[in-house]
Amino acid sequence: MASGTTVSILPCGAMSTDITWLLLAPGRAMRTRQTKDQPAEWIDCPTHAVLVDTPDGRLLWDTSCPRDWEERWAPTGLQDFFPYDKVSEEEYLDSRLKALGLAPGDIDYVVFSHLHFDHAGNANLFKNTDAKLICSDVEKEYAFGIDGPFAGAHLRADYEDLEFDTVSGDVDFLPGVSFIQTPGHTVGSMSMRVDLPDTGTMIFTADAVYRGESYGPPPVPASIVNNLEQWFASVEKLRGIAEESDATLIFGHDPEQTKTFRMAPEGTYT
Ligand SMILES: [Zn+2]
């Protein structure tokens, strides 16, 4: 528990995509013979960042998608699978920070759940600032080790010119803020736990759990999973921690849950 710590969720609009990327659920993404002629189901895939203000520093969790997504993602094809086309001017990450009276240089730590294109998309905003960029050691090793400009949803242009510090294993990082290794989606995917005096425990799963339906039980995996066995184990690890701490889980890309967020700057979690 950390008194004086606050959490602000910064919703950054949504990508649009075929739900099959997010949810390999029988009857939902997968058609039965009775529904085989139905068109693909496209849904909103919202994206957010999280600002954690602590007496020992200001932390930003993830950086969402970039303004220049259409050009930046062009080499990968992701701009056609996940167009970032449901975003208004005030929803871009830099606008969200500005609305809170913050510039990139006001952030002490930028921590990445993982380095996919829709989480590291604004990492470059923090170039030449004093902000420390941090991800898990295995995520860094993988992301900097890929051949060519991209591999799957890791896009070198997002991060290759930046210096990253790393964390190993589950770590207490700031008072009331810890990182939980939840690999499976990528080799080094992490979740963030914040223990607040009023709200209690919040766990930000990022892509370790996309949506409520992914969490279950039973858990429903997705099309982008690096290691399915690790992914299932990570979901159960989070479930164990959530049950023991009576935590609120905040999923990475859940359109229904996103509607329920308290909105910064008016609404923060204390
Ligand atoms: Zn991802």
Side-chain angles (χ1 to χ4, degrees):
M1 200 86 56
S3 66
T5 294
T6 63
V7 164
S8 303
I9 302 179
L10 312 180
C12 294
M15 299 170 279
S16 307
T17 195
D18 184 322
I19 193 168
T20 314
W21 286 106
L22 301 180
L23 209 59
L24 290 176
R28 183 82 194 250
M30 293 168 187
R31 302 292 184 218
T32 60
R33 59 181 166 173
Q34 290 85 2
T35 59
K36 65 185 177 186
D37 295 327
Q38 285 180 8
E41 186 187 350
W42 270 59
I43 55 146
D44 286 359
C45 181
T47 161
H48 65 259
V50 183
L51 187 75
V52 188
D53 251 309
T54 85
D56 291 5
R58 188 178 281 134
L59 181 156
L60 183 70
W61 170 252
D62 280 341
T63 67
S64 190
C65 306
R67 285 176 179 266
D68 65 347
W69 60 275
E70 187 118 38
E71 302 77 44
R72 186 151 1 142
W73 298 351
T76 68
L78 291 165
Q79 79 284 3
D80 290 330
F81 287 111
F82 296 93
Y84 185 35
D85 56 4
K86 302 245 173 102
V87 55
S88 60
E89 176 57 33
E90 66 269 21
E91 290 174 321
Y92 290 110
L93 180 70
D94 57 311
S95 299
R96 286 293 193 207
L97 291 174
K98 210 169 167 186
L100 294 171
L102 298 172
D106 296 323
I107 308 294
D108 299 303
Y109 307 99
V110 184
V111 185
F112 297 86
S113 62
H114 63 307
L115 294 175
H116 272 167
F117 68 112
D118 57 329
H119 294 258
N122 287 300
N124 283 307
L125 284 181
F126 301 91
K127 196 177 181 178
N128 302 322
T129 72
D130 290 335
K132 275 196 189 336
L133 307 187
I134 297 165
C135 65
S136 85
D137 51 357
V138 278
E139 186 73 10
K140 178 179 176 181
E141 188 182 349
Y142 174 80
F144 282 85
I146 61 177
D147 288 326
F150 70 95
H154 284 89
L155 178 55
R156 272 184 172 278
D158 287 334
Y159 53 77
E160 67 181 349
D161 296 334
L162 303 167
E163 298 282 331
F164 285 83
D165 290 345
T166 60
V167 295
S168 294
D170 295 349
V171 289
D172 294 330
F173 187 73
L174 290 171
V177 181
S178 55
F179 304 125
I180 305 164
Q181 298 302 321
T182 47
H185 174 69
T186 67
V187 290
S189 286
M190 301 196 294
S191 301
M192 176 174 69
R193 170 177 175 163
V194 186
D195 294 303
L196 293 166
D198 300 331
T199 307
T201 300
M202 300 180 87
I203 297 175
F204 296 89
T205 69
D207 289 2
V209 189
Y210 281 142
R211 324 162 26 119
E213 293 143 292
S214 317
Y215 189 58
V220 177
S223 298
I224 303 178
V225 177
N226 175 67
N227 181 313
L228 199 53
E229 198 175 338
Q230 283 187 339
W231 182 81
F232 277 108
S234 290
V235 174
E236 295 316 318
K237 180 180 181 179
L238 288 172
R239 199 186 311 281
I241 296 168
E243 284 173 2
E244 162 255 303
S245 59
D246 197 23
T248 304
L249 290 168
I250 309 294
F251 304 119
H253 297 289
D254 189 317
E256 291 310 312
Q257 189 181 41
T258 297
K259 291 175 196 159
T260 70
F261 291 160
R262 279 181 211 162
M263 292 284 291
E266 296 81 19
T268 56
Y269 296 85
T270 58

